[in-house]
Every structure is written in C-alpha cells, then in structure tokens.
Amino acid sequence: MGQFLKLAIAFQFLFSIISGLELFNFEKSQLTPRDILTQSDQNASLLKFAERDDPPPLNTTCKVFPGDALWPSDAQWALLNSTTDGALIKTIPLASPCYPGPLSNTDQCSYLTANWANSSIHMVDPTSPMSPIWQGRTCEPPTLAPTLNGTCTLGGLPSYSINATTVSHIQAGINFARNTGIRLVIKNTGHDFSGKSSGAGSLNIWTHYLKDIAFTANYAGDAYGNYSGPAFKAGSGVQAWEIYEAAEKEGVTVVGGEGRTVGVMGGYILGGGHSPLSSIYGIAADSILSLNLVLASGEFVTASPTSNPTLFWALRGGGGSTFGVVTSVTIKAYPPLPVTTFSLAFPPNITTTDFWNGVRSYLTFFPSFTAAGTYGYFFIFPSSPDSTPTFLLSPFFAPNLSIPQTQSLLTPSLPFPLPITYTHHATYLPAWTASFPQEPVSRSSGYFGSRLFPCSNFLSPNSTLFNATFSAIKTSVEAGYSLISFQIRGAVHPSNDPDSAVNPAWREAAMHSIQTNVWNATGDIAALEVEARQSLNGRMEEWKAVTPGSGAYLGESDRGETGWQTSFYGAETYGRLVGVKRGVDPGEVFWAKTAVGSEGWEVRSGDPVGNEDGRLCRV
Ligand SMILES: *[C@@H]1O[C@H](CO)[C@@H](O)[C@H](O)[C@H]1NC(C)=O
Ligand SMILES: *[C@@H]1O[C@H](CO)[C@@H](O)[C@H](O)[C@H]1NC(C)=O
Ligand SMILES: *[C@@H]1O[C@H](CO)[C@@H](O)[C@H](O)[C@H]1NC(C)=O
Ligand SMILES: *[C@@H]1O[C@H](CO)[C@@H](O)[C@H](O)[C@H]1NC(C)=O
Ligand SMILES: *[C@@H]1O[C@H](CO)[C@@H](O)[C@H](O)[C@H]1NC(C)=O
Ligand SMILES: *[C@@H]1O[C@H](CO)[C@@H](O)[C@H](O)[C@H]1NC(C)=O
Ligand SMILES: *[C@@H]1O[C@H](CO)[C@@H](O)[C@H](O)[C@H]1NC(C)=O
Ligand SMILES: *[C@@H]1O[C@H](CO)[C@@H](O)[C@H](O)[C@H]1NC(C)=O
Ligand SMILES: *[C@@H]1O[C@H](CO)[C@@H](O)[C@H](O)[C@H]1NC(C)=O
Ligand SMILES: *[C@@H]1O[C@H](CO)[C@@H](O)[C@H](O)[C@H]1NC(C)=O
Ligand SMILES: *[C@@H]1O[C@H](CO)[C@@H](O)[C@H](O)[C@H]1NC(C)=O
Ligand SMILES: *[C@@H]1O[C@H](CO)[C@@H](O)[C@H](O)[C@H]1NC(C)=O
C-alpha cells in the first residue's frame, strides 16, 4: 500500500508537469502512510488508510451514530482536529442566536431572519443547506418556522465539519469516518435540491475554501482527441462567478452554471451541469479534461483518459458524493463569445386563453432555438383560479449571435403585442452578470420534480405528441405548480468525448423543466407533506408519459423520484456506474440519497416522506 501510494504520487507529479497544470499547493499537502506510522497504535487505527484485507466496519447494520458506544470520544475528535491543523468544527446551527441558550442574540436573530433567503449567508456556513426541507427545518428563524415551538436541534445537520484547505485534511476525514464507521457527507455551498450535503450524525467534508484557479493557454495532457489549447484547473470550492471572472481576464469562455451560489467544480459538474452555453458546448462535464480526488481508501488520485480511465468516465455525469471527494477539476476553455440577450413577460391584462396560446406558440420555437445554440430560462407561475398565470422569459440568451441574427429567429404570431429590447454584450461575463441575479434560497415548503423533454416533442406543432406535451405542462400550472424551465440543448459538441456517464437523456433534450408545489408552513406539516408527495408523483407520471425513454437532470431532481436510477442516469449507464462504485468504494463510505449504489441504505427519520434527520442504516 505504502509503495503503491508513493508510486501513484510520483506518477501524478510527472503527469501534472506534462499537462502544464501542476498540483495546487493545497494538493501537495498530503497524508502518507508514513505520517500514520509515527502515531501510537490506537491513534493510527483511526487515521490509517484502507488495506485490501481490512475487516468490515464494526457496526455493519447502521453507521455509528451519536449516543452509540462506538461514537468517537472527545479525545478521538481532538485527534482528528490536530491531524487537520485545527480545521474541525462542531456544528452550531446557523439560526442558534434566535433560540434560548448561550448564543441567544436579538440583533443577530433579526439579521438572520431578514436575510434567511440570501444564499450568501448559507454558503459560508459549514453545514447550513440551501434545501432546508431535507434536514428537517429544525432550526430556522422562529418567525419563518412557527411550528418549531422555540426549539433548535441539529436535525439532519452533520455533527462535525472539516473546513478543508489541504488534501491531507480530506484524507484524514475520510480515513477517520471509515475507521470509526460514522457517516460521511460533503458540502461546498449547500446548493443541492436533494439534501446531499446534509446527514444526521455525520462528519462533513466542507470543500468551500478550495478556491485555487490556474490557467494555461496550451494544455497538453492526454485528452480526448488529443486536445491542446486553453484550459483552467479549479479547486472544487470554486463558484460560477469566480471561474467566469477568471475566464474573462484570460480572454476565453468556460462552461459553468447559471447560478452565482452554485459551486461549479463539485456536485454541479459531476452530475452533468447545465449552463447558458449548453446549447452550443454541451453539458459542463463534457468539458472536463481531468480531475483529482481522494478515494474512500484515503488515496489521492488523478482521473483522466489515461489515469484511472473508468473512474474518469464515471465522474463525468455519475454524480457527487459517490466516488470520492474531488479536490480540483481541469476543464477546457473556448474562444471568447459575444452574446445577445433579452427578457420579457407576457402582459398582465391578457385573457387566460391568449396566455396559453402564447405559451403554445413559444414551445413551437424550441427546435429552431436550440439548433441556433440559444438558451431560454423561463418561468410559469400559477395564479388564483380565474385569473391569468404569469409567464417570464428571463433571460433569452443567444451566444455568438448578433442582434439581427437573434431577431431573425423570432417570428412569433402572438395574440398580444410583445415588445422586445435586445442587448448585445461583447463577451460572456457581462451578459451573464446582467442576466442572472443571485438566486435566493427557497425557504418555503415544497417538493420539486423535473424532466428532460426531448426535441422530438416539439417538432410537429398540432401533432398528438406536441399537444400532449403542452397539455402536461398546462395541467401542472392549473394544479397550482410553478414551473422553472430551460429551453436548452445538451448534445455533445463534436470536439468533446461522447463516452461519459452524462445522462443520455440530455443528448436529445430541448427542455429541462422543474415543477414545484408549495404548502403553507403553518399547517399540519406531516399531513401536507404526504399530500404534496402524492400530488407530485401524479404530476410526474403525466410528464413521464409524454417523454417515454427520457430522464431527468440529476442536479435538479426529485429526491423521492420513482425509478430514479433510470431517470437520473439512464438504465445502461447506471449498470456501468454501479460497477465502478463497487470497485472504488466497496465499504460504502460515501452515501447520498439517489446517488449511484445507494439502494442498500436508508435514513431512518421519523418524517413521513423521509429526510436526513435520522440514522443511516442498511435496508
Ligand atoms: C449499532 O447500531 C445499532 C442500531 O442498529 C445501535 O442501536 C447500537 O447501539 C450500535 N452499536 C454500537 C456498539 O455502537
Ligand atoms: C493521540 O493523539 C492525540 C491528539 O494528537 C494525542 O494528544 C495523544 O497523546 C495521542 N495518543 C497516544 C497514545 O499517543
Ligand atoms: C479544533 O482546534 C481549533 C484550534 O485549536 C479550535 O479552535 C477548535 O475549536 C477545535 N475544534 C473542535 C471541534 O474542538
Ligand atoms: C446577501 O448577503 C451578502 C453578505 O452576506 C450581502 O453582501 C448581499 O448584499 C446580500 N444580498 C441581498 C440581496 O440582500
Ligand atoms: C409543537 O407543539 C404542538 C402542540 O403542542 C405539537 O403538536 C407539535 O408536535 C410541536 N412541534 C414540535 C416540532 O415539537
Ligand atoms: C474556513 O477556512 C477558511 C480558510 O482558511 C476561513 O477563511 C474561514 O473563516 C473558515 N470558516 C470557518 C467557519 O471556520
Ligand atoms: C491521441 O491520438 C492518437 C493518434 O491519433 C490516438 O490513438 C489516441 O487515442 C488519442 N488519444 C486520446 C486520449 O484521444
Ligand atoms: C393591455 O395593456 C396594454 C398596455 O397598457 C394595452 O396597450 C392593451 O390594449 C391592453 N390589452 C387589453 C386586452 O386590454
Ligand atoms: C461563432 O460564430 C462564428 C462566425 O459565424 C463561427 O465561425 C464560429 O464557429 C461560431 N462559434 C461557435 C462556438 O459556434
Ligand atoms: C392539437 O391541438 C390543436 C390546437 O388545439 C388542434 O388544432 C389539433 O387538431 C390538435 N392535434 C391533434 C392531433 O389532435
Ligand atoms: C395548427 O392548427 C391551427 C388550427 O387549429 C392552425 O391555425 C395552425 O396553422 C396549425 N399549425 C401548424 C404548424 O400546422
Ligand atoms: C396559512 O395558514 C394560516 C393558519 O391556518 C393562515 O392564517 C394563512 O393565511 C395561511 N397562508 C397562506 C399563504 O395560505
């Protein structure tokens, strides 16, 4: 093992020199078996790397949980803390100042209450998630969660976090979790629809401060098609705005997310990742040239076309929290692009009939819009019965097109006037900055479901399939659902590798649509949850019926999706992914709801619909 590890590191070092993008300094700080040898036997047993002949963890029925005899002692946590240079944080829920106790503070509570929907305050907190519903909403500001009766508990929040700033911190955390049998989770910003960055009784590897970015104009690593050209290497804590600013400075363009708060180099890109440039350059994972990660064994490895190629295949689309903790990703950069944008809303004084005729007309444009490489972020909000819903297209994003080229795509025959003001941006960053304000954290209670709609659904207006698609969308809005949708293509760009674990459903898609229901947070929550779950399942059945053989985007998906393996990964891809998972994480150190190979475990929460507030046990 020790020899192997040294060899691996030596090889990696060589590889990184060849590519022109060396290991980051934080990646050179590694834990080695030699470091473990200097510890006493007792301490070494908590920090050692995995060996092939390791016995199974002691409590094999469930992950070790707070209160168990096997839960690490304070001294053992102190060992982890000293091994991670004091980066260990015991969880204090963000809204603690709002509750009785030593942290109670009226001013801080007022600030938190007023800013609770602001993503910025959650992304710099080690554990606060942006989908609080899955951690059990156990400690929100009281005025936002009146049913909590003045109590603030950890709920589904991890017990401890490591504020990781070196690879050695991550290795120590993984080894400690594996050797003690406790649960492990990973958080960057916490922007996750499925609650993957929460988990009661877990140790959280917090990757938010892995912010290094490096650029080379002449990447020369071994890549698909022997790519040579500009590339970025970015730490897994890097967010969309950070990589976009770096790209603007270097005079290139990169494929990243829409959202400011999304940590693009973690769960986003590993789960595929859609972006305003997807209609021309494909899914974000298609641009990956290589990745560095720490495996469940504690080993630090590179995954690329020539180093761990199977893992490289799986990491491009197979999802986060599954194969390891990614520390950095190297992605292609593309030439600079001008962008034309506009935003519009249907007038508020139109009839409901005209409204739906307008939506219908919009859908007929999807094949030509996506073929032209454009992207549209649109919203349909229901309204009270008998009044017209709301339609918002914000933005329509036309990379590489001039204003006249964009205008020529739009020949709508609408039953109402719709003036459009076009803006042309010389490069990507100003277009993105003007078009995508920071997204708020959704604090309201509700479930999300999503579906990828193939281009073929929109090809023949007036066909049975087109009509059924339109009707499925309209019925959801009439049932009170809000739609957050994308007119987007996810095809592989000819210069990129078509063989990855990206959900094949992306390749045919012209629309990714999310539907969400919302309930009243002051009611009988358990009953409302059950009702909302049943309702969403019904809506999703209708969406699936009009998109047979398609799937859903893992990164913005329903935690409770029926048949998630096929929906989120594609049946054949899923089979391959499970093989990779078994090979690389035989002890199931990494677990997340709806992640590859997660079927064998469940969170035993008391919640009727299920959340992260409970012990993780074998099914
Ligand atoms: C093992 O897990 C069970 C739950 O299945 C728990 O009740 C028990 O305390 C655990 N045992 C130890 C020794 O931690
Ligand atoms: C184990 O590690 C802790 C923390 O570094 C240290 O205080 C303790 O002395 C070590 N125990 C032994 C037996 O060496
Ligand atoms: C870890 O060590 C640092 C520095 O000594 C300390 O500030 C912090 O409170 C410790 N964490 C825990 C969980 O004890
Ligand atoms: C969100 O919070 C950050 C700092 O935490 C602040 O800079 C920003 O202005 C806030 N945004 C809004 C919309 O209030
Ligand atoms: C709050 O109190 C009500 C009424 O006593 C009770 O039904 C409910 O379960 C309590 N909720 C919590 C989260 O403790
Ligand atoms: C985490 O580490 C970063 C980088 O060292 C530091 O700036 C930040 O304050 C730390 N956060 C917490 C909550 O400890
Ligand atoms: C690089 O080019 C050679 C020769 O065309 C080819 O055999 C090899 O597969 C290419 N490498 C990759 C990773 O595509
Ligand atoms: C709706 O309002 C616009 C702008 O005020 C006006 O021009 C138009 O005639 C109105 N349409 C209807 C159907 O009332
Ligand atoms: C952008 O437009 C130019 C000129 O029409 C064309 O040569 C280039 O291939 C386009 N780039 C992409 C990425 O489509
Ligand atoms: C689809 O709907 C349109 C508009 O309502 C209608 O004219 C057309 O006949 C329908 N097509 C089919 C195949 O039913
Ligand atoms: C669809 O049918 C309507 C009449 O119901 C007709 O006005 C329209 O031209 C048809 N559209 C296409 C693309 O065939
Ligand atoms: C939620 O329920 C409370 C109490 O039943 C009621 O006062 C309030 O108006 C409801 N809010 C909404 C948005 O329905």
Side-chain angles (χ1 to χ4, degrees):
M1 174 74 199
Q3 268 321 96
F4 174 73
L5 201 76
K6 270 181 215 138
L7 269 173
I9 291 164
F11 176 71
Q12 202 152 33
F13 189 63
L14 209 71
F15 174 78
S16 61
I17 299 279
I18 294 167
S19 74
L21 286 169
E22 284 195 50
L23 289 183
F24 286 132
N25 279 337
F26 84 81
E27 292 176 315
K28 290 178 186 161
S29 169
Q30 297 173 14
L31 200 64
T32 65
R34 181 186 289 270
D35 300 324
I36 313 293
L37 280 177
T38 64
Q39 305 270 356
S40 67
D41 285 357
Q42 224 177 21
N43 281 357
S45 71
L46 296 171
L47 296 172
K48 68 185 166 88
F49 289 83
E51 304 281 354
R52 248 178 256 287
D53 50 358
D54 274 352
L58 282 167
N59 204 342
T60 51
T61 317
C62 295
K63 297 274 181 176
V64 171
F65 200 69
D68 287 355
L70 292 171
W71 181 253
S73 64
D74 285 350
Q76 291 173 328
W77 286 113
L79 168 68
L80 179 61
N81 200 13
S82 65
T83 311
T84 56
D85 308 310
L88 189 70
I89 300 169
K90 193 168 185 171
T91 302
I92 298 169
L94 183 56
S96 296
C98 296
Y99 290 87
L103 297 171
S104 181
N105 182 311
T106 314
D107 289 348
Q108 278 178 32
C109 180
S110 308
Y111 176 81
L112 288 165
T113 305
N115 285 280
W116 201 247
N118 182 342
S119 320
S120 300
I121 67 170
H122 302 279
M123 66 196 180
V124 295
D125 183 87
T127 58
S128 192
M130 295 191 195
S131 291
I133 186 170
W134 304 122
Q135 68 90 356
R137 310 182 75 221
T138 53
C139 185
E140 297 187 293
T143 52
L144 304 177
T147 50
L148 290 178
N149 299 348
T151 58
C152 169
T153 62
L154 284 192
L157 297 179
S159 297
Y160 289 88
S161 300
I162 294 174
N163 186 1
T165 50
T166 67
V167 160
S168 68
H169 296 165
I170 297 170
Q171 292 175 303
I174 292 175
N175 287 352
F176 186 85
R178 193 189 59 252
N179 293 327
T180 56
I182 64 172
R183 187 174 170 193
L184 188 76
V185 301
I186 307 165
K187 182 189 187 239
N188 174 12
T189 61
H191 180 102
D192 188 286
F193 281 41
S194 305
K196 286 180 177 170
S197 35
S198 294
S202 67
L203 169 63
N204 164 38
I205 310 276
W206 189 30
T207 59
H208 189 56
Y209 290 96
L210 304 179
K211 294 265 188 207
D212 296 40
I213 296 179
F215 177 74
T216 175
N218 300 298
Y219 183 82
D222 196 352
Y224 175 77
N226 295 299
Y227 171 78
S228 82
F232 278 100
K233 178 177 158 148
S236 54
V238 166
Q239 291 167 265
W241 59 274
E242 292 164 321
I243 194 73
Y244 287 154
E245 281 182 4
E248 182 83 1
K249 224 164 78 191
E250 302 293 352
V252 294
T253 310
V254 290
V255 178
E258 292 85 7
R260 257 150 233 282
T261 55
V262 177
V264 287
M265 297 304 165
Y268 164 82
I269 202 163
L270 301 175
H274 66 69
S275 109
L277 295 178
S278 287
S279 298
I280 55 171
Y281 285 130
I283 294 309
D286 295 343
S287 293
I288 298 180
L289 293 163
S290 86
L291 310 99
N292 291 333
L293 69 156
V294 183
L295 300 176
S297 62
E299 265 180 84
F300 178 59
V301 301
T302 293
S304 76
T306 48
S307 176
N308 298 297
T310 314
L311 195 51
F312 181 63
W313 172 84
L315 286 164
R316 288 172 299 145
S321 301
T322 307
F323 304 104
V325 179
V326 169
T327 59
S328 68
V329 185
T330 301
I331 55 167
K332 271 186 197 180
Y334 301 96
L337 283 174
V339 182
T340 295
T341 62
F342 66 82
S343 290
L344 59 79
F346 284 3
N349 58 351
I350 59 177
T351 64
T352 302
T353 305
D354 284 349
F355 176 90
W356 285 113
N357 283 337
V359 172
R360 193 185 167 90
S361 171
Y362 174 57
L363 298 181
T364 67
F365 282 91
F366 281 17
S368 57
F369 281 174
T370 47
T374 71
Y375 156 106
Y377 191 9
F378 68 100
F379 306 81
I380 305 179
F381 299 117
S383 60
S384 54
D386 305 325
S387 62
T388 311
T390 304
F391 176 92
L392 212 70
L393 172 55
S394 180
F396 184 86
F397 203 87
N400 210 24
L401 296 186
S402 64
I403 290 179
Q405 283 171 325
T406 307
Q407 269 171 323
S408 72
L409 289 173
L410 300 157
T411 49
S413 60
L414 291 173
F416 44 84
L418 203 56
I420 296 179
T421 308
Y422 298 88
T423 309
H424 190 70
H425 307 269
T427 55
Y428 180 82
L429 181 68
W432 178 78
T433 304
S435 306
F436 296 94
Q438 177 162 310
E439 65 280 26
V441 172
S442 160
R443 308 313 298 187
S444 53
S445 314
Y447 293 133
F448 293 89
S450 74
R451 195 73 183 162
L452 293 166
F453 288 71
C455 193
S456 52
N457 283 50
F458 307 98
L459 275 177
S460 313
N462 289 351
S463 68
T464 309
L465 179 59
F466 182 93
N467 284 1
T469 304
F470 171 70
S471 164
I473 291 167
K474 183 165 175 260
T475 309
S476 284
V477 176
E478 285 168 349
Y481 282 73
S482 295
L483 306 193
I484 303 161
S485 303
F486 305 80
Q487 166 258 308
I488 190 169
R489 184 171 64 165
V492 189
H493 189 271
S495 68
N496 288 333
D497 185 359
D499 186 23
S500 70
V502 169
N503 189 342
W506 262 121
R507 306 312 187 186
E508 311 299 327
M511 177 170 85
H512 158 48
S513 189
I514 305 166
Q515 56 179 333
T516 174
N517 56 28
V518 173
W519 65 73
N520 189 339
T522 56
D524 173 355
I525 293 198
L528 291 165
E529 277 185 3
V530 172
E531 193 187 319
R533 166 50 61 197
Q534 283 167 353
S535 162
L536 178 62
N537 288 355
R539 294 309 319 140
M540 285 308 300
E541 282 315 309
E542 189 171 341
W543 282 23
K544 287 179 182 179
V546 300
T547 56
S550 189
Y553 170 46
L554 173 66
E556 292 171 341
S557 61
D558 178 9
R559 180 184 161 101
E561 170 110 358
T562 315
W564 55 266
Q565 293 91 337
T566 306
S567 289
F568 299 170
Y569 305 92
E572 199 194 322
T573 306
Y574 190 73
R576 267 176 89 182
L577 283 168
V578 167
V580 178
K581 168 73 176 175
R582 290 205 180 115
V584 81
D585 185 13
E588 299 179 281
V589 174
F590 296 106
W591 186 90
K593 183 78 177 162
T594 74
V596 169
S598 60
E599 297 88 344
W601 299 79
E602 66 188 1
V603 180
R604 302 224 171 123
S605 74
D607 189 77
V609 172
N611 61 30
E612 289 297 336
D613 186 2
R615 182 194 283 271
L616 182 62
C617 295
R618 287 187 194 276
V619 173

